[in-house]
Amino acid sequence: MFLETLGKSTLEFFRQMQAMGSLLVRTVYWAVAGPFKQKPVSRRGFFAQTVFSGLHSLAIVFFVDFFIGVVLAMQSAYQLEQMGATMYVAALVGVSMTREIGPVLTSLVIAGRVGAAITAELSTMKVTEQIEALETISLDPVRYLVVPRFLALLIMLPCLVILGDVIGIFGGYVVGVTQLGLSSGLYIDTTLEFLTVKDILTGLLKSAVFSVIITMIACHEGLSTEGGAEGVGRATTKSVVSSFILIILADALLTSFFYFAKT
Amino acid sequence: MNTAGEAVIRVKDLVKNYGGRRILDGISLDIYEGETLVVMGGSGCGKSTFLRHLIGSLRPDSGEVWMFGKNIAEASEEAMEGIRKKFGMLFQSGALFDSMTVGENVALPLREHAKLDESIVRIIVKMKLELVGLRGFENLMPSQLSGGMKKRVGLARAIVMDPKIVFYDEPTAGLDPVMTGVVDKLTMDLTKKLQITSVVVTHDMNSVFRIADRIVMLHQGRIVEIGTPAQIRNSKNPLIQQFITGEAEGPISFVQTSDNYLDHLTTETA
């Protein structure tokens, strides 16, 4: 009985992954070949998406990342003080913010904000026959709805992560300078000394992968919704929860890849 | 009635199963140019599924649907694209795009598929909105419209590419009697003025007899009878008489299950 359930859910998981994979192939196809085959997707839709997923997410990303920087600095100070190595707070905050916490937390916030919004919008369109209406006027929903959202988040999420990293480091800086007795110059110098371009690039690569996960899950759930308003609610919840799980999974995979690739 | 015209749609032996149930059970039908064909039947008789096969959004398990000289049951996506530009579809709730204004909704097919100057697109949109009696509504959002208006905008969008065929999915469902009359009149006007072939799926008996040139009655995935409104009205088939008069008792059973009621009551269902 347990094995049966396990087998069924594993099968279901792989079926979902396969559906998502084929959606990704179609999305990339339309994103690359689309402009040559037909009129390019309206720029207005794309810009509206970048504004929504990028600009309008700034406040919440800043809020979350700033306080995470603050907490991170205090937590690490608590440990490092015992070894008399308080000045390394700057290094720890800088590296963990850019490599790990910045990309993951920002992506989780965006999955909750943008991913949920995408699923809610597309699933409402699905249950009110708007998706079918698009198809009957020969507009592929993938080209028309998924591609602009995909490209917008693929560009905006790494941007948000960079800004979030800066704000997070600033949060650590505030704690370091006001509470830990580190001088402003020393804090900045230590941060810059330990932070490498590779750390930042690693974080950016992660965030690009996360953005693909968020849009693919959100669009797949949205476009395969059935069953009225209740279906919309279910799809939105599932979209956010699946994004969270897959982001964490992908993060573990990528981090271990980078870790072992280094040695 | 205009059965002398050519058949623009030929359906041959259409079969569709869904979840172990046979929804369409061998439907064969010719639809002629310029006629208004009404497909009627109770809920769950397969009429919506039938319509979705005609517009190519569902593929049959077996059978053929010929439209504009192509079998759309097997047509490639590229071929379908060409065919879709020659017909329009009015969805049950209008299916307007929420994020666009009325004008943008109507203009969308033109902007995407026709290489027209923006000023010409605007003029065409105004003309189509005029046809459905919504002059000056271009800048409203769909959420600001009533149900009847949404349907009329949906109709304007369906005819904006000057299609040869327009499909209507329950065009009068949920409308008040006056608005039903308005939408019916629009359907008839469009058919006559623009020589459009109309295929209407509905169970609204008043509008059936008002607009139809021919009527097809479906029941349990099969065609019960095809005929002119007069033939259908005078049909001796008890199924059709029950549908027209709206009696609860008759051959169209209100209880869907064929199981023994006592068995049903006494068996445990998980």
Side-chain angles (χ1 to χ4, degrees):
Chain A
M1 191 61 202
F2 169 73
L3 278 178
E4 193 186 323
T5 324
L6 189 75
K8 265 190 192 147
S9 40
T10 315
L11 212 66
E12 182 56 30
F13 176 77
F14 281 110
R15 206 170 291 140
Q16 293 272 335
M17 294 301 284
Q18 192 191 7
M20 231 105 67
S22 80
L23 181 63
L24 180 62
V25 170
R26 282 171 66 196
T27 308
V28 172
Y29 167 78
W30 278 115
V32 176
F36 301 103
K37 264 190 85 174
Q38 287 177 23
K39 275 190 195 171
V41 177
S42 79
R43 274 192 208 100
R44 220 189 66 189
F46 171 70
F47 282 124
Q49 287 303 321
T50 50
V51 169
F52 170 73
S53 60
L55 205 58
H56 293 172
S57 304
L58 270 182
I60 182 146
V61 166
F62 279 8
F63 177 83
V64 169
D65 281 339
F66 175 79
F67 283 104
I68 284 297
V70 167
V71 170
L72 203 59
M74 291 193 290
Q75 263 315 316
S76 48
Y78 176 69
Q79 302 280 323
L80 292 171
E81 263 169 2
Q82 298 173 2
M83 295 179 269
T86 315
M87 67 169 278
Y88 291 107
V89 166
L92 206 145
V93 169
V95 173
S96 47
M97 209 61 216
T98 48
R99 278 189 85 103
E100 184 62 36
I101 299 181
V104 172
L105 268 183
T106 307
S107 302
L108 291 181
V109 168
I110 294 302
R113 206 188 98 85
V114 179
I118 291 175
T119 309
E121 190 186 1
L122 295 193
S123 57
T124 307
M125 290 183 77
K126 174 81 194 299
V127 299
T128 55
E129 299 177 317
Q130 291 176 48
I131 302 288
E132 213 179 340
L134 266 184
E135 282 165 356
T136 49
I137 51 181
S138 279
L139 292 177
D140 191 323
V142 174
R143 179 177 83 93
Y144 204 75
L145 297 171
V146 179
V147 170
R149 284 162 179 76
F150 173 80
L151 291 179
L153 200 63
L154 189 63
I155 295 168
M156 292 321 275
L157 189 57
C159 295
L160 285 171
V161 165
I162 290 260
L163 293 172
D165 288 350
V166 173
I167 294 291
I169 291 173
F170 174 68
Y173 168 87
V174 170
V175 173
V177 172
T178 60
Q179 303 297 317
L180 307 176
L182 300 171
S183 81
S184 168
L186 178 68
Y187 194 97
I188 294 171
D189 282 346
T190 321
T191 304
L192 292 179
E193 187 188 334
F194 283 90
L195 203 59
T196 61
V197 175
K198 204 181 135 208
D199 293 330
I200 296 170
L201 288 182
T202 309
L204 287 187
L205 183 77
K206 276 184 181 176
S207 63
V209 172
F210 298 158
S211 89
V212 174
I213 291 176
I214 294 170
T215 33
M216 284 304 107
I217 291 182
C219 293
H220 171 71
E221 287 299 332
L223 292 177
S224 54
T225 304
E226 260 160 30
E230 201 195 334
V232 172
R234 223 179 308 127
T236 310
T237 311
K238 203 175 157 207
S239 158
V240 174
V241 173
S242 317
S243 295
F244 276 27
I245 294 173
L246 271 192
I247 285 173
I248 300 289
L249 262 179
D251 183 50
L253 275 175
L254 287 171
T255 306
S256 54
F257 173 76
F258 289 128
Y259 180 74
F260 290 113
K262 187 189 68 180
T263 52
Chain B
M1 202 179 81
N2 188 9
T3 46
E6 292 233 339
V8 282
I9 302 177
R10 284 213 127 108
V11 182
K12 283 185 198 158
D13 215 17
L14 199 63
V15 174
K16 179 75 176 178
N17 299 303
Y18 196 78
R21 262 184 66 210
R22 184 153 284 199
I23 307 292
L24 298 178
D25 193 3
I27 291 183
S28 297
L29 176 67
D30 284 356
I31 300 171
Y32 301 103
E33 195 176 341
E35 74 168 339
T36 301
L37 179 93
V38 173
V39 181
M40 65 175 199
S43 304
C45 71
K47 57 188 193 302
S48 285
T49 312
F50 177 61
L51 188 67
R52 282 183 169 55
H53 281 86
L54 295 185
I55 62 171
S57 75
L58 285 176
R59 300 268 165 139
D61 291 342
S62 70
E64 298 168 3
V65 179
W66 289 86
M67 198 193 294
F68 305 115
K70 288 208 174 72
N71 180 7
I72 63 170
E74 289 166 357
S76 67
E77 204 34 54
E78 279 80 20
M80 267 323 286
E81 221 160 78
I83 294 169
R84 284 199 189 106
K85 286 174 198 166
K86 293 191 210 159
F87 68 73
M89 162 102 184
L90 171 60
F91 287 88
Q92 198 169 349
S93 58
L96 301 181
F97 304 119
D98 298 323
S99 55
M100 299 179 188
T101 63
V102 166
E104 288 167 342
N105 260 288
V106 178
L108 185 67
L110 284 176
R111 291 202 173 121
E112 289 295 328
H113 297 307
K115 290 188 179 68
L116 290 175
D117 199 67
E118 191 53 34
S119 58
I120 295 175
V121 170
R122 290 228 174 90
I123 292 173
I124 297 177
V125 168
K126 281 193 180 138
M127 281 164 60
K128 299 296 174 182
L129 283 175
E130 177 81 39
L131 265 178
V132 298
L134 291 174
R135 179 194 292 182
F137 279 68
E138 288 95 324
N139 294 322
L140 289 184
M141 297 304 283
S143 56
Q144 294 169 293
L145 302 180
S146 73
M149 288 176 180
K150 278 184 196 168
K151 283 197 185 175
R152 285 189 279 158
V153 175
L155 188 54
R157 188 178 66 191
I159 58 170
V160 77
M161 298 281 283
D162 294 326
K164 299 260 191 303
I165 308 172
V166 178
F167 297 100
Y168 301 76
D169 188 10
E170 314 235 357
T172 57
L175 298 184
D176 66 58
V178 176
M179 196 48 80
T180 303
V182 170
V183 171
D184 282 348
K185 188 165 179 304
L186 268 175
T187 312
M188 289 186 282
D189 281 356
L190 291 175
T191 314
K192 293 203 179 69
K193 283 183 194 158
L194 308 174
Q195 293 297 307
I196 290 173
T197 308
S198 301
V199 179
V200 185
V201 162
T202 184
H203 52 226
D204 181 340
M205 293 317 296
N206 290 325
S207 67
V208 168
F209 287 113
R210 203 155 27 192
I211 62 177
D213 290 324
R214 281 197 308 151
I215 298 172
V216 175
M217 169 91 185
L218 287 188
H219 183 60
Q220 293 183 342
R222 289 181 194 200
I223 293 178
V224 178
E225 205 158 319
I226 307 179
T228 62
Q231 286 168 338
I232 293 289
R233 209 190 282 274
N234 299 323
S235 164
K236 299 240 162 18
N237 192 325
L239 256 171
I240 290 172
Q241 282 310 317
Q242 189 199 351
F243 203 77
I244 294 174
T245 54
E247 296 288 331
E249 298 291 328
I252 303 175
S253 99
F254 151 69
V255 182
Q256 295 280 335
T257 54
S258 55
D259 306 332
N260 188 310
Y261 184 49
L262 189 66
D263 286 350
H264 178 71
L265 280 179
T266 49
T267 46
E268 298 256 335
T269 43

